[in-house]
Amino acid sequence: MLVTRQPVFRKFWHAVMPLTELADGPKPFRLLGEDIVLFIDASGEPAALRDRCCHRTAKLSKGWCVDGQGKACGQGAIQCGYHGWTYDRSGQVIRIPQYEADRKISPEYRTTAYRCTAHYGYAWVALEEPIADIPEIPEFADPAYRTIFQFHEEWQTSPMRALENSFDNSHFSFVHRATFGVAASPKPSKYELVENESGFYAETVIEASNPVKFHAISGVTDAITTRHMRNAYFLPFSRRLDIEYPSGVRHIIINCFTPIDDGRMQLCQWLFRNDTEADCAAQLLIDFDAEITREDKDILESTDPDALVDTRRRGVEYSMESDRPGMLIRKHLMQLLAKHGEAEVHRGNSAGPVITTTVRAELVEASRSASTSSA
């Protein structure tokens, strides 16, 4: 699947960057192949615009924020670094330094604005009117849990690859053999799966290696422990992993696999723990999960990011019984595409513009109208 060629993904919220990254001015990002710029507006809220000035197309991310008098500041309107044209969060040009103060600015002078909101310490962006809410993370506001912002980093792979890997129990003994994988147990535990409107819930218990350096993380001292894993998938590219150790320690990971373009994604990862800094230092937890994610990153970046989604395409990729969660992800993505009149776009059929069933029907109707008129 080539994610930038599937219009429906533009209608979801995507985690783009921590709000702290915007504290010192505008930042660029590429979302689903679209170059955008993010900044903090005068009211302290994140905003997102197309990263092009409508004057001479310079990147707005080369500029800075200004206040109502046009002075540089930490938050406000965004001023182009080329000629100083200044935009509000709606994308409208509100100041042109070369104009007299009382001269009106044409309403046509504007750039595209995208929906942008602050949630869970991140700026989230939807390129079009969103059709689903941002997944809920109740632990973020729960005093019984601490929040640890772990990662936001670029990977040379696709969200589909990262998603199916995050539900794949059969790679632990191989990819994670140096961390928590148990080499003597290559056969994966079976998931109990329950589908729902936003995706599915998957629950299982696995064996996990527990060396001395991990004792504070698990809260137990056994060489081999267990992880009660409650895993959930949310359309299109998010998941929640709730790991419970026998000690009662909960290690809850939230991932958003944000699509940058057809060969790259951004991993966003939050961690929630029901223990304290005295029990287990946050840096140890970051280092622990970083080591594990490095193992995943290394193998996933060796895969083809154009992952098969429509399983009716035979002979492209083969599966086994333990791949069932990944097959359910494909099922839900295909249902989403079909609901919005789309088919999977991949390298084999990506030449030329994408014609969805909705667009095709409109073209047929237009053709009929043209034939009637000419008759």
Side-chain angles (χ1 to χ4, degrees):
M1 172 186 283
L2 303 178
V3 290
T4 67
R5 308 297 297 278
Q6 309 285 177
V8 70
F9 297 143
R10 298 170 62 89
K11 300 177 181 179
F12 284 88
W13 290 105
H14 300 280
V16 171
M17 68 179 63
L19 295 172
T20 52
E21 292 288 303
L22 301 174
D24 59 350
K27 294 291 188 299
F29 192 81
R30 176 168 288 183
L31 177 61
L32 286 163
E34 295 273 355
D35 287 325
I36 64 176
V37 58
L38 292 99
F39 63 100
I40 301 296
D41 70 11
S43 63
E45 295 298 318
L49 304 177
R50 182 170 181 255
D51 198 8
R52 288 290 181 197
C53 178
C54 68
H55 176 221
R56 289 294 180 265
T57 74
K59 287 184 175 293
L60 292 174
S61 55
K62 296 288 187 181
W64 46 84
C65 288
V66 294
D67 61 19
Q69 286 70 49
K71 295 181 180 179
C73 61
Q75 62 186 55
I78 184 170
Q79 186 171 65
C80 180
Y82 193 8
H83 294 94
W85 285 32
T86 304
Y87 299 78
D88 64 16
R89 68 172 296 122
S90 75
Q92 178 66 49
V93 176
I94 58 173
R95 185 180 301 108
I96 298 177
Q98 294 80 11
Y99 279 16
E100 297 297 328
D102 60 351
R103 182 174 173 179
K104 290 186 177 180
I105 298 173
S106 170
E108 293 182 353
Y109 291 8
R110 60 183 304 109
T111 192
T112 304
Y114 302 107
R115 292 150 187 84
C116 186
T117 188
H119 228 55
Y120 308 133
Y122 266 68
W124 297 67
V125 175
L127 297 177
E128 296 182 16
E129 184 66 33
I131 58 176
D133 294 332
I134 295 171
E136 290 189 11
I137 307 177
E139 290 79 14
F140 189 80
D142 188 340
Y145 289 85
R146 51 181 170 141
T147 301
I148 300 171
F149 295 98
Q150 288 192 311
F151 316 116
H152 72 291
E153 58 187 37
E154 181 180 309
W155 286 21
Q156 305 295 311
T157 190
S158 62
M160 181 64 221
R161 292 298 185 206
L163 270 171
E164 67 178 346
N165 178 76
S166 67
F167 286 87
D168 177 14
N169 287 348
S170 62
H171 78 283
F172 296 161
S173 298
F174 304 95
V175 175
H176 301 303
R177 62 189 182 280
T179 50
F180 71 90
V182 180
S185 303
K187 291 186 177 181
S189 60
K190 185 178 179 180
Y191 271 120
E192 295 297 326
L193 292 155
V194 179
E195 294 187 68
N196 52 56
E197 288 186 2
S198 61
F200 60 82
Y201 173 82
E203 186 171 352
T204 191
V205 177
I206 70 164
E207 289 185 335
S209 180
N210 187 46
V212 174
K213 65 179 181 177
F214 294 167
H215 287 179
I217 293 167
S218 64
V220 297
T221 58
D222 301 316
I224 302 293
T225 188
T226 59
R227 289 178 167 188
H228 187 168
M229 298 171 60
R230 303 174 179 93
N231 220 341
Y233 165 58
F234 303 97
L235 278 168
F237 304 129
S238 298
R239 72 105 179 213
R240 170 192 174 91
L241 173 59
D242 181 349
I243 298 171
E244 184 174 3
Y245 290 102
S247 61
V249 169
R250 302 279 285 277
H251 189 95
I252 301 173
I253 291 172
I254 306 295
N255 286 127
C256 289
F257 304 113
T258 300
I260 296 174
D261 52 32
D262 290 325
R264 298 179 298 158
M265 59 151 238
Q266 178 177 258
L267 167 69
C268 303
Q269 184 161 311
W270 295 256
L271 173 65
F272 300 90
R273 295 269 299 195
N274 63 340
D275 60 356
T276 67
E277 181 72 14
D279 296 321
C280 186
Q283 191 58 54
L284 176 61
L285 293 165
I286 293 171
D287 294 343
F288 168 70
D289 281 335
E291 187 175 356
I292 292 170
T293 55
R294 290 292 76 72
E295 294 169 333
D296 286 318
K297 183 175 186 283
D298 181 63
I299 198 68
L300 289 177
E301 288 189 337
S302 76
T303 67
D304 183 352
D306 185 12
L308 169 77
V309 175
D310 188 344
T311 56
R312 293 172 297 183
R313 292 198 285 134
R314 311 299 295 176
V316 181
E317 297 180 24
Y318 299 96
S319 300
M320 54 186 174
E321 289 82 358
S322 59
D323 293 322
R324 190 182 172 205
M327 303 310 287
L328 279 181
I329 293 170
R330 289 167 168 82
K331 172 186 171 182
H332 281 269
L333 286 172
M334 286 300 294
Q335 289 175 340
L336 175 68
L337 295 182
K339 182 178 179 180
H340 293 271
E342 298 180 37
E344 180 196 7
V345 180
H346 52 88
R347 272 196 303 273
N349 67 1
S350 64
V354 179
I355 305 296
T356 68
T357 54
T358 301
V359 173
R360 186 176 293 111
E362 292 173 350
L363 291 174
V364 169
E365 182 60 32
S367 176
R368 287 173 179 167
S369 299
S371 298
T372 302
S373 298
S374 60

